[in-house]
Amino acid sequence: MNAVSPIVKAASRAAGLDLRGVTKSFGSVDVLHGIDLSIAGGEFVVFVGPSGCGKSTLLRLIAGLEEVSAGAITIGGRDVTDLDPSRRGIAMVFQSYALYPHMSVAGNMGFGLKMAGRPAAEIAATIHAAADILHLTPLLDRRPGQLSGGQRQRVAIGRAIVRDPDVFLFDEPLSNLDAELRVEMRIEIARLHRKLGNTMIYVTHDQTEAMTLADTIVVLRAGRIEQVGAPARLYDDPDNLFVAGFIGSPKMNVLPARRVAGGVEIGGHVLAAPPLASAPPDGPAIQLGIRPEHLRPARSGEPSLPFTIEVTEFLGGTTWLYGKVAGDIPLVIEGLRGSTPVAGTRLAVTADPADMRLFDQAGTRLR
Amino acid sequence: MTRAAEPSLPDRARPRRSGIPLHAALFHLTAAVVAALFLAPIVLVVLASLRPASEAGAPPLPPWPTTGLSTESYGRLEAFGDGLLHYAGNSLFVALGTTILTILVSVLAGYGFSRFRFPMKKLAFVLILSTIMIPFQSILTPLFLILAKLGLQNTLTGLILLYATLQLPFSVFMMRNAFDAVPKEIEEAARVDGVTGLRMLVFVMGPLILPGIVSVGLFAFLNAWNEFLAALVLLTDQSRYTLPVLMNAVRSGRYGAVDWGAVQAGVTVMMIPCLLLFLTLQRFYIRGLTAGAVK
Ligand SMILES: Nc1ncnc2c1ncn2[C@@H]1O[C@H](COP(=O)(O)OP(=O)(O)OP(=O)(O)O)[C@@H](O)[C@H]1O
Ligand SMILES: [Mg+2]
C-alpha cells in the first residue's frame, strides 16, 4: 500500500530551491549577509555552524516565518519570497515539536488539510498513509501529552509528511531526544528521505547527524556560508581552517609552520609537504593541518616529529592519543589497534604529504 | 489460598489502633475547621431565609429559625415589584453581557499585547494596568455623566459598558499572560499549516488559553453579578434593578422595619449561580492545557 501512497514523491518531481542574496537583519543587527545557495530537487542538505551563526534564521526565512530583508527565494522555480508559509510548498519540523496539545495525534497530522477544507475521507487516508510510514497507527487517538519524546517527534514529522511538501525543513529535530533515540530517529529520517524523495533541509549542531544524513553540507559562520559540499569533500578538502576544524572529531590538528625548501618546518623539524600551485602571498609562515588518523609512527630514517603522549582515550574501536609535539604544540593522533601506549611515551610521528592541508595565516586554504 | 499467603491474613485482620498518625489527624482536624468556617455563613444565610414571617422582624440573632421552617420570605421577595424572576433576569443580562464583552475585548487585546509589535506598546500596557490603582468609586460621578451624555443612564446596557470597563485592565493583563504562556512554535506550526488571523485565534490559540478565558469570564461574571454601588447610582427605574439593588430596596420594609427574612432569601437566590459556576468551571483553571506541546 505504500507503493501507491499519494505522499511518496518521485525524485524527478521533487522541487529544488534557490536563494539569491538573502539578507536578514533584526533591527540594526545583521544576522545573514547575502546568502547565495542552490539546492537540487531531492537533495538532503544540512546546515551546520556554531551557535548563533544564523542557521535557524535561514531556515525560517525559507519557511516564510521571517521576512527577508533583501534577496529572493525560489522553490521549484516559483518565487516564494513574499508568500505565506502555507503556500510555499514547505513543511517544518520544530526542535520543540510544537504539536497542538489539545488535538489527538490524528488531529495534529490532519489539521492543515482540515484548514484547507479538504474532504474528510481524503484527510483520513492521508493521515493513515503517513502514520503507516512512521509506525504511528496505534497512537492516532492519543494526545501529545500521552506520548514519549520520540513519539512526539514522529508525530511532528508525520504532520509534515501529511502536508505533502516540496521541501521538508527540520530545525534540530532530534536535539531533545536521548542519545540512543537520536540514532534511531536519524536512521528513520534517512529512510524517510530515501522513501519520499523530497528535498530536505536540516539544521543541526551534531556533526554525526550532518555527516551521515547529508548529501550536501552547508557550513555557516556569522551569517556567511563558509563552504558547501558533500561530507567527504568538506572533510578531505576544506576551503579554510574553520571548516577543517568544524568537520571531524577530534578536530584536525593545526600546527604553526614555515615553508622551507623541500617541505614545511615545524619547531625545527622538517617534513615533506604537498606542492602548492602558487607561493602563498604573505610570506613563508603558514598553518599545517593534519587529521589525527593521518598521523602515524615514522619508519626509521624518515623525517618525523617527536611526540610525547600525555593522555590516552580508549573508545573501543579507536584510541586517541593526546600530547605535545615538537616542544609544546598540542597534537592528537589515532593510536594503533593492539598497541597499549601509556602516558609519557615518546613517539616519532609523521604523515604523508597527500594527507597534509596547508592554510595561510588568515586560515584560507593554500592549494 | 496458597500457604504462602496465610501469614499475612492475621496481620491484615488485626485492628489498626495506632494506624492514623498524629499529623494526619491534625491535618484533617484543621481542614474540617477551615471548611466549617467557610461554610458557616452560607448555612446561616440559608437557615435565616427559612425563618417564618413572625420571626422576620425579630433581631437577627440567633440566625436560624426557632419556630419551625417556612418559605414565606421567598414569597415576600417574589411579591416585590416585578417579581424575583424579572430582577434575576436583569442581573443575568448584565452579568452575561459584561462577561461576553470582557472576554471579547480582553482576548483580542491580550493577543495583541502578547504577539504583535507596535509603537508605545509598553507604555500603553502600563497605562492600562495603572487604572487598576484608581478606586472606581472615585470616578463614579464622571462615569455617570459620560453615560448620561451617551443616553445610557438608567439602562442595563450602560451598566454593562461600565462593568466591562472596570473589569478590563485586570482581564487584559490575565489574557496577555495566557497568550505569553503559549509557545511561539505552536503558532508558527499553525502558520505553516495555513492558519491565519481569526482562525488562528479560534482553532489554535483558543483551546490553549481556555483556562485564562474561564478565569477572566468568571471574575467578570461574579463582579458584575454582585456589584452594588454603581448599579444603585446608575439605575433609577425600579423595573431595571439588579439583584443587589433589589436587596437594598427589599430591606427597607414597611414602617422602617428591616425585613431580614427577605434579604436572606435574596442572598440565597443570588448565591446559586455563583456556586454553580464555580463548581462547573473549577477544573478548567486548574488543568494545564499546554502539557505535551513542547519538550
Ligand atoms: N527575533 C530576533 N530578534 C533579534 N535577533 C535575533 C532574532 N532571532 C535571532 N536573532 C539573532 O540572530 C542570530 C542567529 O540566530 P539563529 O537562531 O539563526 O542562530 P542558530 O544558528 O540557529 O543558533 P543555534 O545553533 O543556537 O540554534 C543570533 O545572534 C540571534 O541572537
Ligand atoms: Mg537554531
Side-chain angles (χ1 to χ4, degrees):
Chain A
M1 76 193 118
N2 291 340
V4 294
S5 165
I7 50 191
V8 174
K9 190 156 288 205
S12 60
R13 203 157 69 76
L17 188 138
D18 267 297
L19 305 179
R20 296 256 163 282
V22 170
T23 302
K24 178 67 184 174
S25 325
F26 290 106
S28 60
V29 186
D30 294 335
V31 174
L32 293 172
H33 316 267
I35 300 284
D36 291 299
L37 184 66
S38 276
I39 294 172
E43 207 172 351
F44 199 120
V45 177
V46 174
F47 294 168
V48 293
S51 191
C53 68
K55 307 179 293 288
S56 298
T57 305
L58 186 55
L59 200 72
R60 293 165 57 78
L61 287 173
I62 295 171
L65 293 172
E66 305 275 1
E67 280 177 33
V68 298
S69 303
I73 301 171
T74 50
I75 295 178
R78 199 163 54 104
D79 188 335
V80 299
T81 316
D82 299 318
L83 289 186
D84 262 0
S86 62
R87 307 188 51 218
R88 294 186 174 205
I90 55 104
M92 183 143 171
V93 177
F94 296 83
Q95 176 177 4
S96 62
Y97 319 143
L99 299 176
Y100 310 120
H102 56 293
M103 298 180 199
S104 67
V105 168
N108 264 281
M109 298 209 292
F111 187 61
L113 297 182
K114 197 170 134 197
M115 286 291 114
R118 305 277 272 279
E122 180 195 329
I123 297 176
T126 318
I127 290 174
H128 279 284
D132 207 50
I133 293 176
L134 292 166
H135 316 294
L136 285 171
T137 314
L139 307 177
L140 280 178
D141 293 325
R142 297 230 199 137
R143 294 275 175 102
Q146 302 164 316
L147 300 176
S148 73
Q151 290 168 335
R152 282 179 207 171
Q153 195 52 280
R154 284 221 295 276
V155 175
I157 294 172
R159 179 171 64 182
I161 293 178
V162 165
R163 289 188 48 73
D164 185 22
D166 293 325
V167 180
F168 277 94
L169 306 175
F170 297 89
D171 193 354
E172 306 200 29
L174 308 186
S175 53
N176 283 345
L177 304 180
D178 62 41
E180 197 179 327
L181 205 52
R182 205 178 303 171
V183 174
E184 221 171 87
M185 286 300 293
R186 193 173 80 208
I187 294 168
E188 193 144 343
I189 288 176
R191 200 174 287 144
L192 197 69
H193 179 240
R194 175 94 46 88
K195 182 172 215 158
L196 301 182
N198 297 53
T199 310
M200 293 191 177
I201 303 179
Y202 190 104
V203 167
T204 184
H205 266 111
D206 186 312
Q207 278 220 28
T208 323
E209 276 174 33
M211 300 293 274
T212 52
L213 286 171
D215 296 321
T216 304
I217 294 181
V218 176
V219 182
L220 290 162
R221 173 165 64 159
R224 289 198 171 78
I225 292 183
E226 290 288 318
Q227 193 174 357
V228 180
R233 163 92 201 288
L234 295 196
Y235 189 81
D236 289 334
D237 194 14
D239 278 351
N240 52 50
L241 261 185
F242 178 77
V243 175
F246 201 80
I247 307 279
S249 172
K251 280 185 171 192
M252 179 185 267
N253 295 297
V254 179
L255 312 172
R258 291 167 50 81
R259 264 170 58 80
V260 294
V264 287
E265 178 235 295
I266 305 113
H269 307 270
V270 176
L271 295 183
L276 292 183
S278 59
D282 50 355
I286 57 165
Q287 306 189 73
L288 172 65
I290 311 175
R291 296 217 176 263
E293 66 270 30
H294 291 147
L295 284 158
R296 57 173 171 78
R299 288 180 287 271
S300 65
E302 207 178 4
S304 66
L305 305 172
F307 175 64
T308 312
I309 300 172
E310 289 177 338
V311 177
T312 66
E313 256 184 20
F314 175 67
L315 296 180
T318 43
T319 306
W320 301 113
L321 312 178
Y322 294 80
K324 295 277 166 62
V325 74
D328 61 350
I329 307 167
L331 191 82
V332 191
I333 73 172
E334 188 177 357
L336 284 181
R337 186 91 190 125
S339 70
T340 48
V342 291
T345 308
R346 298 182 57 116
L347 295 173
V349 297
T350 188
D352 294 331
D355 293 329
M356 296 179 184
R357 307 286 175 262
L358 305 185
F359 303 89
D360 68 15
Q361 288 297 70
T364 309
R365 175 80 181 276
L366 300 170
R367 289 190 163 98
Chain B
M1 297 308 138
T2 56
R3 291 180 65 88
E6 273 174 5
S8 70
L9 284 176
D11 190 41
R12 214 187 259 173
R14 192 191 303 149
R16 290 230 194 128
R17 272 278 150 161
S18 57
I20 303 169
L22 183 67
H23 66 84
L26 270 178
F27 173 80
H28 281 95
L29 189 70
T30 315
V33 168
V34 170
L37 273 177
F38 277 87
L39 283 175
I42 297 178
V43 173
L44 290 184
V45 163
V46 173
L47 285 177
S49 75
L50 294 174
R51 301 203 313 180
S54 54
E55 289 180 39
L61 285 176
W64 50 79
T66 49
T67 56
L69 298 178
S70 144
T71 54
E72 285 166 40
S73 298
Y74 292 89
R76 286 200 306 285
L77 192 65
E78 173 61 27
F80 189 91
D82 296 350
L84 183 60
L85 224 51
H86 174 84
Y87 295 108
N90 282 353
S91 262
L92 205 63
F93 175 74
V94 170
L96 283 180
T98 305
T99 306
I100 292 168
L101 189 63
T102 303
I103 288 177
L104 268 182
V105 177
S106 67
V107 164
L108 292 174
Y111 189 40
F113 275 115
S114 169
R115 287 298 200 259
F116 293 93
R117 270 191 277 174
F118 50 88
M120 305 215 284
K121 173 167 146 176
K122 280 221 176 86
L123 182 69
F125 194 70
V126 169
L127 278 181
I128 289 179
L129 270 189
S130 64
T131 59
I132 294 181
M133 293 186 294
I134 303 170
F136 93 95
Q137 291 83 349
S138 67
I139 53 167
L140 206 49
T141 313
L143 280 174
F144 181 80
L145 293 176
I146 291 172
L147 285 179
K149 273 254 162 55
L150 293 171
L152 289 171
Q153 83 278 32
N154 194 25
T155 64
L156 296 179
T157 316
L159 205 54
I160 290 177
L161 288 176
L162 177 61
Y163 287 165
T165 308
L166 298 176
Q167 204 60 42
L168 273 173
F170 166 75
S171 304
V172 170
F173 175 71
M174 286 278 290
M175 288 320 301
R176 191 201 63 162
N177 288 355
F179 279 108
D180 277 352
V182 177
K184 277 216 169 63
E185 285 95 341
I186 291 187
E187 215 174 336
E188 290 174 346
R191 274 175 70 196
V192 172
D193 268 342
V195 187
T196 49
L198 209 57
R199 296 207 304 172
M200 176 76 78
L201 204 53
V202 175
F203 293 115
V204 179
M205 302 299 265
L208 303 180
I209 55 161
L210 200 57
I213 293 180
V214 169
S215 310
V216 161
L218 207 56
F219 277 113
F221 185 93
L222 295 180
N223 283 347
W225 180 264
N226 290 327
E227 206 285 331
F228 170 66
L229 184 60
L232 182 71
V233 171
L234 205 68
L235 302 173
T236 48
D237 191 343
Q238 202 196 46
S239 73
R240 299 256 164 87
Y241 281 1
T242 54
L243 286 176
V245 185
L246 175 74
M247 290 308 100
N248 185 53
V250 164
R251 192 179 63 105
S252 32
R254 251 152 280 146
Y255 317 121
V258 175
D259 186 352
W260 291 112
V263 172
Q264 305 295 24
V267 170
T268 307
V269 171
M270 279 188 66
M271 266 189 312
I272 294 171
C274 306
L275 288 177
L276 284 181
L277 270 180
F278 256 118
L279 292 180
T280 47
L281 294 180
Q282 61 172 350
R283 70 191 184 94
F284 278 101
Y285 53 82
I286 292 170
R287 185 175 60 182
L289 253 177
T290 46
V294 296
K295 287 259 165 156

